[in-house]
Amino acid sequence: MIDLNKNYKKQIFTVMAAIFAVAFVLSTGSKVLAQTVVEVEAETPISVGDVMAAAEEPAVESGHGLDRVIKGTENWGPEHHIDPLQFVKNIGKSTGIYQMMNQKKVEPQAEFKPPVEEAPEKDWGKAPGWQSLIMIAVGFLIVYLAVGKGFEPLLLIPIGFGTILVNIVGAGMGDLPDGMLAIIYHAGVGNEFFPMLIFMGIGAMTDFGPLIANPKTAILGGAAQFGVFFTLFGVAVMNLFGLNYNIMQACAIGIIGGADGPTSIYVSGKLAPELMGVIAVAAYSYMALVPMIQPPIMKALTTKKERLIKMPAPRAVPKMEKVLFPLMLLILTILLLPPAAPLIGMLAFGNFVKESGAAQRLSKTMENELMNIVSIVLSLGVGSQMTPEKIIRGESLGIIVLGLVAFAVATAGGLLMAKLMNVFLPKGKKINPLIGSAGVSAVPMAARVANKVGQEEDPSNFLLMNAMGPNVAGVIGTAMAAGVFIATYGGLR
C-alpha cells in the first residue's frame, strides 16, 4: 500500500518494474516461447522434405538468445504467439454464447478415421543406478516431512512411498505393462479421470458459505492467480538461459502457482502431456508445503498492525443460497468459459449434492471413501513419476523452481490486493491482509495457515472462516485460469 505521508519512491519503483516486466513478456514472449516457420526460413529455407524429416528426427535448436529456436517449435505459426488482442478474441470465441450462436454443421466423414491416439510419452532415457539411490533418499525425506513435521501426511506419505518404490532397481513397479505404479498412473493420473474425481470430492467437502457471505473476498482469489500468469515471464527468462519451454508448456507450468494439483494435472494433460509427471510432483509438493512456504512471505509483506486486524464472523448463509450457488456457477461457466466446465462442473456437482441434502449417502461417499481412495492412488501415481530420468535434469529442475516462484507470487498477489482494498474500505471494515494469502487453491490448508499466523499475533483472532472465502474463490479462479489457457492454446496441439 502506498502511504502518501511517507517516502513512496520504492513502491512506485516496484510498480514500474512490474509494468516493464509485463511489457517484456508481450514484446519478447513470441520470440522466446514460440517461433514461426518464417523466422526459421530467414536463415535456412525449409522444404517439404525437411519438414517431414523434422517430424521423424529430434529437433535441433539453432541460434542464440532471442533468435534461438526452441526444440519442437520449428514449424509453428503465428497462432502460437503471445498477442494480447488475439488472446482476448480467442477467449471471446471460446465462450458458450459465441459457440451456440455460431455453431457450424459438421459434415459426415466420407471414411472412417480411427480415434486420436494418446500422445506418446517423452523418452527421458535411462539414468545411472546411483541416481536412483538419490531419489530413494528423497522419498524417505518426503515421508519424514509428512510424519515428523506434519506436512500434509495424506498427500506426502503416499507420494513418498511411491517415490521409494518406483526407484527400487529391479522391482519394475513403474514399468509397463505389469508394474503397479505404472498401471495406476496410466489409469487415471495421465488423463483427466482422477482429477475430475478429486474435484467432485472437493465440491462435496467445500462450504461456499464464507464466499457467499462476503463476495468481495473473491477479488483476493482472483488476485492470487497473478502468480499463474506471471510464470510466463519466468519461463521466458529461463529460455533465454538455454532451457526449452514452449508456450503451451509455459501455461501448464504456470498453473502450479495456483497450488492446485488436480488442475495442474488436467492442464498439463491438455497442453503438455510430456511434462505431466514433473508438473504433478511440483504442484502436489507445494500444496503440501504451504505451511512452510507461505508464512515468511505473509510476515514480510504485512505489518504487525495489519496482522492484528480483527474481522467479524461471516453472516449465516441460508440453505437456499448455498443450493443455488453451484448451479449459478455452472451456468455462468457454460455460457462464458466452456473449457473450464469439466473442472467447475464436477466441483458444482459435488457441492450441489452436499448442499441439497437429498442424497446424503452420495455426499458422504464423495467426501470420505471415494476421496480417500482416489487421493491414495493419485498420490502414488504422482510419486511414480519421481524418477531420476525426469527429476535430475535442467528442464525438470526449472519447472520446480518456476513452480515455487509462481506460488510465491500468487501468495504475494493475494496479500497485496487485500492491502489495496483496505485503502478504499472504511474504518471498521478493513480486511486482514493475511486472508489474501489464502487465495491460492490449497483448500483448506491455506486458510488454516492464515488463521495460524494471525493467532501467533493475537490468540483471540480467528480468521479461519474469513480466510475460507478467498480460499474457495482461489479454487474457482485457478479452474478459470486453466480454462483460459485451454481455450487459447488447447486446439493447437
Side-chain angles (χ1 to χ4, degrees):
M1 181 178 68
I2 298 177
D3 188 350
L4 298 179
N5 296 321
K6 296 181 179 181
N7 185 350
Y8 53 90
K9 292 182 179 180
K10 182 178 180 181
Q11 289 92 331
I12 293 179
F13 175 78
T14 303
V15 173
M16 293 300 297
I19 294 174
F20 281 122
V22 173
F24 175 81
V25 172
L26 297 179
S27 63
T28 66
S30 294
K31 295 280 290 182
V32 177
L33 296 171
Q35 289 76 33
T36 67
V37 68
V38 175
E39 294 172 31
V40 179
E41 286 178 350
E43 296 181 359
T44 307
I46 295 180
S47 64
V48 176
D50 293 333
V51 172
M52 295 180 64
E56 298 176 356
E57 299 180 1
V60 179
E61 63 180 83
S62 61
H64 302 280
L66 292 178
D67 296 324
R68 185 174 61 88
V69 178
I70 300 172
K71 295 178 181 179
T73 69
E74 295 85 359
N75 302 316
W76 280 15
E79 66 275 8
H80 295 83
H81 283 184
I82 301 177
D83 184 340
L85 181 60
Q86 188 61 40
F87 183 83
V88 174
K89 289 181 180 179
N90 289 343
I91 297 300
K93 291 181 180 179
S94 69
T95 62
I97 297 175
Y98 180 90
Q99 295 187 35
M100 291 175 189
M101 296 177 62
N102 296 274
Q103 188 174 17
K104 296 181 180 180
K105 182 178 179 181
V106 179
E107 297 294 336
Q109 295 182 356
E111 58 183 16
F112 172 77
K113 292 184 178 181
V116 178
E117 296 182 359
E118 183 180 355
E121 291 190 5
K122 183 175 180 178
D123 183 10
W124 295 90
K126 192 66 177 177
W130 63 269
Q131 292 186 358
S132 296
L133 294 177
I134 294 177
M135 296 309 301
I136 291 175
V138 170
F140 279 112
L141 175 62
I142 293 173
V143 173
Y144 168 75
L145 292 175
V147 179
K149 298 296 184 180
F151 291 155
E152 294 305 320
L154 295 180
L155 289 175
L156 286 193
I157 289 178
I159 289 178
F161 268 89
T163 303
I164 295 169
L165 296 174
V166 78
N167 285 288
I168 299 176
V169 179
M173 294 190 70
D175 299 336
L176 286 173
D178 301 322
M180 171 190 168
L181 296 179
I183 293 172
I184 290 176
Y185 178 81
H186 287 274
V189 182
N191 50 55
E192 64 182 47
F193 182 47
F194 287 170
M196 294 297 101
L197 293 180
I198 289 289
F199 255 75
M200 183 173 66
I202 292 174
M205 297 171 63
T206 301
D207 180 9
F208 286 105
L211 177 60
I212 301 172
N214 195 0
K216 64 176 176 287
T217 58
I219 299 175
L220 303 178
Q225 307 313 311
F226 179 71
V228 173
F229 294 93
F230 180 84
T231 308
L232 295 178
F233 169 71
V235 173
V237 171
M238 286 206 167
N239 276 353
L240 289 176
F241 286 97
L243 296 182
N244 291 283
Y245 303 114
N246 59 48
I247 181 60
M248 290 185 283
Q249 292 172 340
C251 292
I253 296 169
I255 293 295
I256 299 174
D260 191 330
T263 306
S264 297
I265 293 174
Y266 181 76
V267 175
S268 60
K270 297 288 186 182
L271 300 181
E274 68 279 2
L275 298 180
M276 181 186 295
V278 182
I279 289 174
V281 168
Y284 272 97
S285 297
Y286 293 134
M287 280 180 62
L289 296 176
V290 163
M292 178 184 291
I293 299 173
Q294 283 197 320
I297 301 173
M298 297 162 68
K299 293 177 181 179
L301 295 179
T302 58
T303 64
K304 182 178 179 65
K305 182 179 179 181
E306 290 173 328
R307 294 194 292 272
L308 288 172
I309 295 176
K310 288 190 175 182
M311 301 177 64
R315 68 177 176 87
V317 178
K319 180 178 179 179
M320 183 57 66
E321 292 184 36
K322 291 186 177 182
V323 172
L324 291 177
F325 181 82
L327 297 179
M328 296 303 298
L329 179 63
L330 180 59
I331 291 172
L332 288 175
T333 305
I334 293 171
L335 295 177
L336 300 179
L337 197 59
L343 295 171
I344 298 295
M346 295 304 290
L347 184 74
F349 168 53
N351 189 252
F352 180 79
V353 172
K354 171 194 174 184
E355 300 296 352
S356 67
Q360 293 186 1
R361 287 175 56 188
L362 295 182
S363 175
K364 289 181 179 179
T365 299
M366 290 178 188
E367 63 179 306
N368 293 306
E369 291 84 0
L370 182 61
M371 188 69 167
N372 291 337
I373 293 172
V374 176
S375 295
I376 292 172
V377 293
L378 179 62
S379 299
L380 282 172
V382 169
S384 72
Q385 300 304 296
M386 294 278 284
T387 58
E389 297 87 1
K390 298 177 181 179
I391 301 300
I392 306 178
R393 58 186 298 117
E395 282 79 6
S396 299
L397 295 177
I399 290 174
I400 294 174
V401 172
L402 287 169
L404 178 60
V405 171
F407 184 57
V409 173
T411 301
L415 289 166
L416 296 177
M417 178 56 70
K419 292 163 71 77
L420 179 62
M421 291 173 65
N422 280 342
V423 175
F424 304 98
L425 291 175
K427 187 176 182 180
K429 293 187 177 181
K430 301 289 186 182
I431 296 174
N432 191 314
L434 294 177
I435 72 170
S437 66
V440 296
S441 302
V443 178
M445 290 176 282
R448 291 203 302 259
V449 171
N451 182 67
K452 180 180 178 182
V453 174
Q455 288 192 322
E456 288 177 358
E457 302 290 346
D458 181 2
S460 65
N461 193 6
F462 295 95
L463 298 172
L464 181 60
M465 293 310 297
N466 289 291
M468 284 301 297
N471 206 185
V472 296
V475 176
I476 298 172
T478 303
M480 292 296 183
V484 168
F485 286 149
I486 294 172
T488 307
Y489 297 110
L492 300 180
R493 284 196 59 81

